[in-house]
């Protein structure tokens, strides 16, 4: 029964949040506050770190027994670099935590941190991947031969021959500049020690509370049972809060030492400087095409600047390896060669941020398609038409399996809505008047909802992927679902309620979803990689069906009919023929409630979309405006279309930001220049146009709810659409831009022919 | 990002504020008006005043009076009040470029001038229109003409014990004016701005005042550009020549986002577009 799936019911999460009744980590009062003393330089030897009399300060020496953060993958020659939770002997990036001080208020803690005398003698600095790869570059981690932390390459057997025999070869190099996820709420942790039991409760902004608990307990040599992690309302994560914060480890260590309650409330400067960065990448692609503009081969080369350490659990390999694995995108490419590497530098750690490597590789592929279109004498849509995968399941050269989808169909939907012919007329008129308008498209598929097999294939020691749901129907007819996913804005409590209501035969208002507290939920992997609806949704469906089946059995018995004569809806079991009925509550009372579990570990499913961006480029001021944006999207069955549209809006906004505005900048000494929202430019409502969204639902066997994930699609496709539009606008001027963000400075250099 | 400790003072009158400033300025005392520049700097600990003297509530400093010499605007007048038209159409238009509404509700006209950020719209207006700043300290009242007011980036002729109390701006009734600002996002600090005004007499531009802000360390009039326009009929060609003269004549501020050549191009664009709006 699908009475609730597909409906845009308003979210249960919203009213409390809008009324200011949300409970965020910083709302909890603490007796003491922790503040980190952070390295003011990018590389150096710590000579002295001294606090004045009366200031409580901890350094690495105090935390000698604490383990190092050292995520592992056992493939691709990955070097398991290790991060001390407080810098040990040397600092490796500006902002690295060197010491922690404690004060009775945040203000005092900051005063104490400012009073610490920190002396560091500088070491040579590598800020860019290029510098870190150069001959004679300073090797940043001891025991390594170079700064390459992971490297891999592959070539399909026929690749070289296919390239040699190609009619057309087109290449493009794109540069993706460093990003920050910029959650509205910075990171925070509140640790409380229960003196009687020795147990610590850590309330924190985590996307993976169970894994945080496992990891922190292991690093501190604690039993997991002695640590409870609670993720309350979390104000956005976008991946930044999935990676383990060294600061949480120090915080829990400190509360075990000092007792009581201690909180760490990260401020915006810290978050920009020293949380996690992302996608500082060079992607070069070369397409080899036949006379009809069809791919005969693709060659890729990816260099990712991964920062000074490795994020837990994904490792420093996550961006280069994802690029390597997913570069072909939605295109039917049989011969593929790629070399990818991750390079350590003296910058903040790079970790997954919504889309991870895909915004950069999609940019590369979509710029390639536009350029190849010109070389092959085809229109931008036609070359894609000839190359997009049409038959499913499709196996890529790297072994990914694309399930049933609609790559071509969504492109056609988007193009139709875009009315390109009419736009070309307007564009020509505007050009004659000295104004430069452009339109650009991007087409992509998005890997979502993948389970443990995918993580095992990556060679990760930590293999997230499955989800458990513990479900219980009580005697009042309310279902409580305890989940291991950890939503932080995705509306999962609402969408799961819709799935469960349909499957059991009750209403969404009769479903309570419990998440975020490791004491109250089964072990699970949290929320990231567009997985929660697919995997927790799938597990919820499995558990709910069991409860439904039991209810039907009891109802048949009690109403004296066969099980298949009963309908279940809105909290009642009704005999179809007679209308005789019993409430779900009453049925449940016969056994004092009904419990069931669901476990789901899918292989994964690929959603897809096409984006169209319309821009105007002001060639005098070098400013770019996005005038209009269209998304045609297919994520299988939509459980709550309004929530889906919300995800798309947010993702597209971040994608436009990536294309035009947001950039973390270091100077040549490794000093970070973008440390406030005056420097790191997030888009406002003025910069994001109305986004028109069209939907298609292609069902796939790869996901038992029929729903695919889609949370990252906006960020994956939007930058490419915007950059293609900018290049379309600039075509009459004979210049090209392949770097994002397209800042005014960059555009000025391109337009004035200066490099 | 918490401010360092400070003492907060709320004097009852302008006179007592001035006396307090005389006593406390040497001890790290500063004036707090709207706080929209100062407080964020305090949060970043880039400013660490030991004392704050709150002058934001004095009715005496919030008057706007038209007089024979022009318009006298109290230092405490909020940007939002000017945005709503209390100082006339031009100031209302310019005010719309200052940050965003919540900031305009708090920030003050005088505070912006005393802060002297090169990208301040009111600083550009003062420099171009040639107003007169009134400052008061324990010794009395002083008038500082616009031309002598700006000393450098975030630096004015005000002594540490002087309170900016009002500004007199000349009356532009009957003048044509145009203002254009280039910024990265709506409400951002200007990358370049231009204010221009002239009297149209017998079809030609007279008494031309043209100046830029956001492009150099201090806002100022550009005599070379004014000379191109003075006595000429408005038109695209003369506007383009004036814009070129402006671009060539500036000493551009540079940073990692804007180099010298780009700043000149931005100044050129701001000037040409301000002129087009005036015409």
């Amino acid at each position: 029964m699908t009475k609730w799936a597909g409906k845009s019911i308003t979210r249960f999460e919203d009213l409390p949040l809008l009324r200011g009744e949300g409970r965020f980590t910083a709302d909890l009062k603490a007796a003491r506050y922790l503040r980190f003393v952070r390295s003011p330089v990018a590389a150096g030897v710590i000579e002295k770190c001294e606090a004045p009399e009366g200031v409580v300060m901890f350094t690495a020496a105090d935390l000698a027994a604490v383990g190092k953060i050292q995520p592992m993958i056992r493939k691709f020659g990955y070097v398991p670099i290790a991060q001390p939770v407080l810098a040990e002997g040397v600092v490796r990036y500006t902002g690295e935590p060197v010491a922690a001080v404690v004060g009775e208020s945040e203000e005092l803690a900051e005063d104490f941190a400012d009073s610490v005398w920190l002396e560091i003698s500088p070491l040579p600095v590598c800020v860019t991947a290029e510098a870190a790869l150069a001959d004679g570059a300073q090797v940043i981690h001891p025991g390594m031969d170079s700064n390459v932390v992971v490297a891999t390459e592959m070539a399909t057997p026929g690749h070289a021959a296919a390239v040699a025999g190609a009619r057309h070869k087109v290449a493009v190099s794109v540069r993706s500049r460093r990003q920050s996820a910029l959650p509205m709420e910075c990171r925070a942790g509140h640790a409380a020690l229960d003196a009687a039991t020795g147990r610590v409760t850590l309330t924190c902004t985590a996307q993976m509370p169970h894994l945080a608990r496992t990891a922190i307990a292991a690093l501190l040599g604690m039993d997991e049972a002695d640590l409870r992690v609670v993720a309350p309302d979390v104000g956005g994560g976008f991946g930044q809060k999935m990676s383990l914060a060294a600061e949480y480890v120090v915080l829990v260590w400190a509360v075990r030492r000092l007792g009581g309650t201690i909180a760490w409330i990260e401020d915006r400067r810290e978050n920009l400087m020293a949380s996690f960065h992302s996608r500082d990448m060079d992607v070069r692609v070369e397409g080899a095409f036949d006379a009809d503009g069809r791919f005969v081969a693709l060659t890729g080369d990816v260099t990712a600047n991964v920062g000074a350490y490795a994020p837990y659990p994904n490792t420093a390999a996550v961006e280069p390896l994802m690029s390597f694995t997913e570069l072909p995108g939605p295109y039917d490419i049989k011969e593929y060669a790629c070399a990818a590497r991750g390079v350590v530098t003296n910058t903040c750690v790079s970790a997954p941020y919504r889309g991870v490597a895909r915004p950069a590789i999609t940019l590369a592929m979509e710029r390639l398609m536009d350029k190849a279109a010109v070389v092959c004498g085809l229109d931008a849509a036609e070359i894609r038409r000839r190359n997009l995968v049409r038959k499913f399941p499709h196996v890529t050269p790297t072994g990914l399996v694309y399930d049933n989808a609609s790559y071509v169909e969504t492109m056609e939907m988007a193009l139709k809505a875009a009315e390109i012919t009419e736009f070309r007329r307007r564009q020509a008129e505007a050009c004659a008047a000295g104004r430069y308008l452009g339109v650009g498209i991007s087409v992509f598929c998005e890997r979502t909802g993948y389970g443990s097999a995918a993580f095992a294939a990556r060679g990760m020691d930590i293999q997230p992927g499955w989800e458990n749901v513990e479900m219980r129907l009580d005697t009042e007819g309310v279902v409580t679902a305890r989940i291991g996913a950890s939503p932080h804005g995705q509306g999962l409590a609402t969408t799961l309620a819709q799935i469960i209501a349909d499957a059991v035969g009750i209403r969404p208002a009769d479903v309570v979803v419990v998440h975020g507290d490791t004491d109250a939920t089964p072990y699970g992997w949290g929320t990231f990689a567009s997985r929660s609806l697919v995997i927790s949704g799938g597990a919820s469906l499995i558990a709910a069906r069991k409860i439904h089946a039991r209810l039907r059995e009891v109802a048949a018995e009690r109403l004296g009919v066969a099980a298949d004569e009963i309908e279940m809806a809105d909290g009642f079991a009704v005999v179809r023929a007679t209308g005789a009925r019993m409430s779900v509550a009453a049925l449940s009372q016969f056994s004092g409630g009904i419990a069931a579990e669901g476990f789901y570990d899918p292989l994964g499913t690929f959603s897809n979309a096409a984006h169209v961006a319309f821009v105007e480029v002001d060639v005098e001021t070098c400013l770019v405006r996005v005038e209009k944006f269209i998304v045609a999207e297919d994520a299988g069955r939509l459980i709550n279309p309004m929530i889906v549209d919300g995800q798309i809006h947010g993702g597209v906004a971040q994608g436009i930001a990536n294309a035009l505005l947001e950039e973390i900048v270091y100077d040549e000494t490794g000093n970070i220049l973008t440390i406030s929202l005056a420097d790191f430019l997030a888009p406002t409502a003025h910069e994001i146009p109305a986004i028109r969204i069209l939907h298609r639902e292609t069902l796939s066997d790869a996901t038992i709810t029929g729903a695919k994930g889609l949370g990252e699609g906006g960020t994956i496709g939007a930058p490419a659409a915007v950059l293609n539009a900018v290049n379309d606008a600039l075509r009459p001027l004979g210049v090209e831009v392949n770097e994002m963000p397209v800042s005014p400075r960059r555009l000025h250099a391109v337009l004035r022919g200066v490099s | 990002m918490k401010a360092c400790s400070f003492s907060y003072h709320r004097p009852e009158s302008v006179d007592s504020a001035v006396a307090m400033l005389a006593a406390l300025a040497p001890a790290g005392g500063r004036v707090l008006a709207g706080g929209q520049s100062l407080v964020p700097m305090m949060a970043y600990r880039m400013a660490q005043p030991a004392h704050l003297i709150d002058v934001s509530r004095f009715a005496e400093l919030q008057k706007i009076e038209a007089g024979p010499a022009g318009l006298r605007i109290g230092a405490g007048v909020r940007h939002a009040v000017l945005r709503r038209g209390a100082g006339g159409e031009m100031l209302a238009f310019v005010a719309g470029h200052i940050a965003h509404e919540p900031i305009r509700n708090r920030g003050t006209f005088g505070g912006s001038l005393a802060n002297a950020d090169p990208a301040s719209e009111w600083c550009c207006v003062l420099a171009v229109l040639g107003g007169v700043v009134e400052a008061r300290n324990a010794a009395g009242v002083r008038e500082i003409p616009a031309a002598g007011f700006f000393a450098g980036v975030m630096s004015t002729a005000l002594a540490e014990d002087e309170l900016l109390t009002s500004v007199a701006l000349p009356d532009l009734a009957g003048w044509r004016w145009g203002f254009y600002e280039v910024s990265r996002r709506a409400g951002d600090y200007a990358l370049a701005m231009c204010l221009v005004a002239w009297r149209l007499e017998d079809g030609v531009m007279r008494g031309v005042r043209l100046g830029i802000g956001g492009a150099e360390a201090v806002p100022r009039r550009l005599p070379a550009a004014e000379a191109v326009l003075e006595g000429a009929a408005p038109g695209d060609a003369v506007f383009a020549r004036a814009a070129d003269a402006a671009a060539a004549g500036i000493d551009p501020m540079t940073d990692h986002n804007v180099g010298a050549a780009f700043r000149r191009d931005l100044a050129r664009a701001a000037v040409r577009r301000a002129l087009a709006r005036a015409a």
Side-chain angles (χ1 to χ4, degrees):
Chain A
M1 190 230 337
T2 54
K3 179 176 170 160
W4 296 104
K7 286 213 167 43
S8 292
I9 65 172
T10 53
R11 299 192 335 166
F12 299 136
E13 293 89 336
D14 290 340
L15 210 47
L17 290 173
L18 289 169
R19 286 207 279 235
E21 291 162 6
R23 298 170 315 111
F24 296 89
T25 301
D27 291 333
L28 290 175
K29 292 286 158 263
R32 278 179 275 214
Y33 289 83
L34 198 77
R35 178 93 181 163
F36 289 93
V37 177
R38 296 180 178 275
S39 175
V41 297
V45 176
I46 302 168
E47 304 291 358
K48 221 183 249 182
C49 181
E50 284 169 5
E53 186 80 32
V55 172
V56 175
M57 180 180 78
F58 306 114
T59 63
D62 300 295
L63 274 69
V66 177
K68 293 187 175 39
I69 296 175
Q70 192 175 27
M72 187 60 182
I73 65 169
R74 297 177 194 280
K75 277 173 95 163
F76 309 112
Y78 178 75
V79 180
I81 54 179
Q83 176 182 4
V85 296
L86 289 176
E88 209 171 69
V90 294
V91 295
R92 296 191 169 93
Y93 68 97
T94 303
E96 180 170 4
V98 177
V101 296
V102 182
E104 269 153 40
S105 66
E106 290 179 77
E107 289 81 354
L108 276 175
E110 194 166 342
D111 286 347
F112 292 150
D114 286 353
S115 75
V116 169
W117 184 260
L118 183 56
E119 243 176 63
I120 299 179
S121 45
L123 286 170
V125 170
C126 297
V127 180
T128 62
E130 202 186 332
L133 288 171
D135 284 335
Q138 176 87 359
V139 174
I140 292 168
H141 283 274
M144 285 177 74
D145 298 323
S146 73
N147 289 312
V148 177
V149 70
V150 67
T152 188
E153 52 184 63
M154 72 167 278
T156 52
H159 175 266
V163 171
R167 174 67 175 277
H168 302 289
K169 289 204 266 275
V170 184
V172 66
S173 289
V174 308
R175 184 82 176 79
S176 164
R177 294 279 172 184
R178 192 170 275 248
Q179 297 291 292
S180 177
L182 203 71
M184 191 181 294
E185 176 202 33
C186 299
R187 300 175 306 167
H190 177 286
L193 177 69
D194 179 335
T197 62
R199 236 184 150 227
V200 173
T201 297
L202 174 68
T203 304
C204 64
T205 54
Q207 289 179 230
M208 303 176 80
H210 282 280
L211 185 59
R213 176 192 190 207
T214 301
I216 294 170
L219 292 173
L220 293 176
M222 286 169 77
D223 289 338
E224 263 187 61
D226 286 336
L227 179 60
R228 172 187 181 196
V229 174
V230 179
D233 286 320
V234 173
F238 311 114
Q240 191 188 91
K241 295 171 177 171
M242 78 178 284
S243 300
L244 178 67
E247 291 89 345
Y248 295 157
V249 182
V250 177
L251 184 64
V252 175
W253 180 91
V255 84
R256 294 176 87 212
R257 171 74 91 94
L258 299 176
T261 54
I262 312 181
W264 166 61
I265 313 296
E266 183 183 53
D267 65 37
R268 184 62 64 186
R269 173 166 53 191
E270 279 182 289
N271 184 269
L272 285 170
M273 182 168 61
S275 58
F276 296 98
H277 295 165
S278 309
R279 26 183 186 279
D280 187 342
M281 296 169 56
D282 282 287
V283 183
R284 182 184 152 78
V285 288
E286 187 186 273
F289 300 88
D290 66 16
D292 295 323
R294 290 200 163 81
F295 268 110
V296 296
L298 176 70
T299 311
D301 190 283
V302 180
T303 299
N305 178 341
V306 301
Y309 295 109
Y312 181 97
N314 289 96
T315 80
V318 63
E319 284 172 341
L321 293 187
M322 183 182 293
S323 305
F324 174 83
T325 307
E326 302 193 32
L327 186 62
Y331 298 105
D332 189 356
I333 294 167
K334 294 194 171 40
E335 302 295 346
Y336 175 59
C338 187
R341 67 205 63 81
V343 183
V344 170
T345 63
N346 294 113
T347 61
C348 180
V349 182
S350 200
Y353 160 38
R354 200 175 190 178
V356 194
R358 288 163 293 175
I361 61 176
T362 302
L363 175 64
M365 288 303 290
E366 293 305 292
R367 284 299 304 131
L368 175 66
M369 297 315 277
D370 269 20
K371 287 172 67 82
V374 173
V375 168
C376 299
L378 297 170
D379 144 288
E382 183 58 27
I383 193 170
R384 287 171 170 84
R385 230 169 251 133
R386 294 184 185 191
N387 284 289
L388 286 169
V389 171
R390 289 169 187 267
K391 290 241 270 290
F392 302 93
H394 172 85
V395 182
T396 75
T398 56
L400 296 175
V401 180
Y402 294 166
D403 55 321
N404 216 15
S406 59
Y407 305 162
V408 175
E409 292 84 346
T410 47
M411 183 182 75
E412 305 296 9
M413 274 173 81
L415 288 172
K416 182 154 175 243
E419 296 179 311
I420 302 284
T421 313
E422 169 57 22
F423 174 79
R424 291 291 178 211
R425 193 194 58 73
R426 277 205 302 122
Q427 182 184 43
E429 258 176 33
C431 195
R435 292 172 57 215
Y436 296 87
L437 309 183
V439 63
I441 66 178
S442 73
V443 181
F444 63 94
C445 60
E446 179 188 349
R447 188 178 192 191
T448 74
Y450 46 97
S452 56
F455 291 95
R458 286 184 188 175
M460 282 173 71
D461 258 18
I462 306 284
Q463 288 170 18
W466 41 262
E467 279 304 318
N468 275 314
V469 174
E470 288 171 359
M471 200 170 285
R472 186 152 207 291
L473 170 65
D474 70 16
T475 54
E476 290 182 308
V478 172
V479 166
T480 299
R482 297 175 182 280
I483 70 174
S486 199
H488 43 280
Q490 290 84 353
L492 197 67
T494 306
T495 47
L496 290 189
Q498 290 174 258
I499 292 171
I500 293 167
D502 275 345
V504 174
I506 54 179
R507 295 161 309 165
D510 298 319
V511 178
V512 173
V513 177
V514 176
H515 60 84
D517 182 344
T518 58
D519 269 8
T521 56
Y523 206 98
W525 298 101
T527 291
F528 58 95
S530 306
R531 68 186 299 270
S532 298
L533 184 58
V534 176
I535 307 181
S536 267
S540 296
L541 183 60
I542 291 168
R545 280 176 176 165
K546 292 178 187 172
I547 292 181
H548 175 95
R550 182 75 195 121
L551 281 169
R552 192 181 274 277
E553 257 175 38
V554 175
E557 206 187 296
R558 297 288 168 168
L559 292 166
V561 296
D564 61 12
E565 292 176 59
I566 288 175
E567 294 279 353
M568 293 204 50
D570 294 325
F572 285 91
V574 182
V575 178
R576 209 179 294 116
T578 66
R581 61 199 221 149
M582 287 189 79
S583 71
V584 164
L587 291 168
S588 181
Q589 278 159 29
F590 290 119
S591 55
I594 302 175
E597 278 178 20
F599 174 87
Y600 192 43
D601 188 6
L603 289 174
T605 172
F606 286 79
S607 60
N608 63 274
H611 289 186
V612 184
F614 296 85
V615 304
E616 174 160 2
V617 181
D618 184 329
V619 300
E620 275 190 292
T621 61
C622 304
L623 295 173
V624 178
R625 265 197 74 74
V626 184
E627 300 291 345
K628 201 163 75 166
F629 204 95
I630 297 171
V631 174
E633 195 274 333
D634 188 341
R637 171 175 289 130
L638 300 187
I639 305 300
N640 188 315
M642 178 183 68
I643 290 179
V644 167
D645 285 357
Q647 288 280 39
I648 294 171
H649 274 79
V652 168
Q654 285 173 316
I656 290 174
N658 196 339
L660 297 177
L661 288 167
E662 292 179 359
E663 181 178 354
I664 293 284
V665 180
Y666 284 93
D667 70 17
E668 68 283 357
T669 72
N671 185 32
I672 181 169
L673 301 180
T674 46
I675 50 148
S676 79
L677 296 180
D679 313 302
F680 185 81
L681 303 179
T684 72
H686 292 279
E687 282 73 47
I688 305 297
I691 301 167
R692 182 168 168 208
I693 303 176
L694 307 162
H695 288 297
R696 222 189 134 80
E697 289 190 359
T698 300
L699 294 182
S700 155
D701 289 337
T703 161
I704 56 173
T705 55
K708 302 183 177 186
L710 61 99
E712 296 164 275
T715 53
I716 293 171
V722 173
L723 272 265
N724 276 345
V726 170
N727 280 291
D728 183 60
L730 297 178
R731 209 184 306 275
L733 299 172
V735 297
E736 206 178 316
V737 184
N738 293 309
E739 188 170 350
M740 62 174 177
V742 183
S743 61
R745 178 178 67 80
R746 281 193 184 107
L747 190 52
H748 187 263
V750 162
L751 286 169
R752 306 292 179 256
V754 179
S755 65
Chain B
M1 268 160 44
K2 303 291 181 194
C4 297
S5 288
F6 59 90
S7 299
Y8 170 78
H9 308 267
R10 192 191 287 186
E12 296 292 311
S13 67
V14 177
D15 284 336
S16 61
V18 166
M20 210 175 261
L21 190 56
L24 295 177
R30 291 192 60 170
V31 169
L32 173 69
Q36 299 303 293
S37 294
L38 181 58
V39 172
M41 287 202 286
M42 289 172 66
Y44 268 82
R45 299 195 167 195
M46 295 191 320
Q48 302 188 9
H51 300 273
L52 288 181
I53 302 160
D54 190 336
V55 301
S56 65
R57 290 174 176 76
F58 301 133
E60 186 187 330
L61 298 184
Q62 291 174 21
K63 297 189 195 152
I64 302 175
E65 289 164 327
L71 197 65
R72 180 165 292 282
I73 303 172
V77 171
R78 312 275 184 182
H79 306 312
V81 169
L82 293 169
R83 175 81 184 119
R84 290 194 286 269
E89 197 194 339
M90 183 192 74
L91 296 185
F93 182 78
V94 171
H97 295 76
I98 301 173
H100 300 280
E101 192 105 327
I103 295 167
R104 294 197 288 260
N105 285 335
R106 301 292 307 160
T108 65
F109 184 74
S112 180
L113 294 174
N115 190 45
D117 189 308
S120 154
E121 287 81 357
W122 296 142
C123 292
C124 184
V125 167
L126 179 68
V128 174
L129 299 190
V132 180
V133 171
E134 182 191 86
R136 199 187 305 184
N137 66 2
V141 177
R142 169 164 88 108
E143 289 198 334
I144 312 169
F149 185 73
F150 298 107
V153 173
M154 319 287 283
S155 174
T156 68
L158 291 171
E160 71 170 5
D161 69 339
E162 278 185 306
L163 180 68
L164 196 163
T165 46
S166 68
V167 175
L169 292 178
D171 183 6
L172 286 193
W175 288 56
R176 310 214 59 112
W177 61 269
F179 177 81
Y180 191 91
E181 178 175 319
V182 184
S183 64
R184 188 84 185 263
R185 300 172 301 177
D188 274 355
Y189 289 102
L191 300 177
M193 72 181 91
C194 174
L195 177 65
V196 63
W198 66 71
R199 297 184 316 272
L200 195 64
E201 290 171 1
D202 302 317
V204 301
M205 300 177 278
R206 292 281 177 215
V208 178
R209 296 168 167 277
L210 183 153
I212 48 141
E216 296 183 306
V218 300
R220 65 182 175 101
R221 289 172 65 177
L222 298 177
E226 288 174 343
V228 169
L229 299 166
E230 187 70 30
D236 287 347
V238 71
F239 289 168
R241 280 190 289 116
D244 284 341
I250 61 168
D251 179 15
M253 275 196 309
T254 61
D255 59 36
H256 76 269
N257 290 314
V258 182
F262 187 28
R263 188 77 71 184
R264 289 186 195 284
D265 285 348
L266 290 167
R268 180 184 296 107
V271 169
R272 213 181 45 71
R273 294 174 188 196
L275 288 166
R277 283 187 173 166

